Amino acid sequence: QLHLVESGGGLVQPGGSLSLSCVASGFTLEDYGIGWFRQAPGKEREGVSCMNDSGARTYYADSVKDRFTISRDPAKNAAVLQMNSLKPEDTGVYYCVADRLLIPELCIPEADYKYRGQGTQVTVSS
């Protein structure tokens, strides 16, 4: 069975950190571009960060630059989104995608990616 499963979400105070993980099953995630997207209540889906298959190119939304970092954990066949200095506006459901043809500079949530996880809730609140 081929799929992605996210974990690591939760409730955190403003200024705190969370590390989201996206584990792939049934395929080698290193062969794919990866992306993280989020959807907040009442808002459109937003591309948070994307990386191409080689890792040479990355994209970050302006709202998360210098706070979030996208990376891979090959040993776990996973993608990671390290989120620091979290703000209430970072609240939402975060989900990951994977596709060989993913273009980081586009990082659009509406694209038809080959694999998409179910999402993990992140809530930033005091």
Side-chain angles (χ1 to χ4, degrees):
Q1 194 170 3
L2 311 178
H3 59 273
L4 297 171
V5 178
E6 302 95 336
S7 63
L11 173 63
V12 63
Q13 292 187 342
S17 298
L18 282 174
S19 181
L20 303 184
S21 178
C22 170
V23 177
S25 297
F27 65 100
T28 302
L29 192 59
E30 282 187 281
D31 296 336
Y32 290 75
I34 54 176
W36 286 95
F37 302 92
R38 67 186 179 189
Q39 184 159 24
K43 296 185 178 180
E44 295 185 352
R45 290 179 180 176
E46 176 186 18
V48 176
S49 181
C50 290
M51 175 186 286
N52 73 327
D53 52 359
S54 71
R57 300 184 351 250
T58 57
Y59 161 88
Y60 293 95
D62 288 342
S63 58
V64 307
K65 278 181 181 177
D66 299 324
R67 299 189 298 121
F68 289 13
T69 303
I70 190 171
S71 64
R72 298 179 186 272
D73 186 344
K76 297 180 179 179
N77 200 28
V80 178
L81 184 69
Q82 177 64 40
M83 307 187 296
N84 298 327
S85 302
L86 283 162
K87 305 175 181 180
E89 51 263 44
D90 293 318
T91 294
V93 176
Y94 285 69
Y95 61 97
C96 63
V97 303
D99 196 291
R100 290 183 186 271
L101 302 179
L102 188 147
I103 301 174
E105 293 79 7
L106 296 181
C107 204
I108 52 177
E110 297 83 9
D112 185 19
Y113 298 108
K114 186 171 181 64
Y115 302 108
R116 184 189 297 260
Q118 293 299 307
T120 184
Q121 176 70 44
V122 172
T123 303
V124 185
S125 175
S126 55

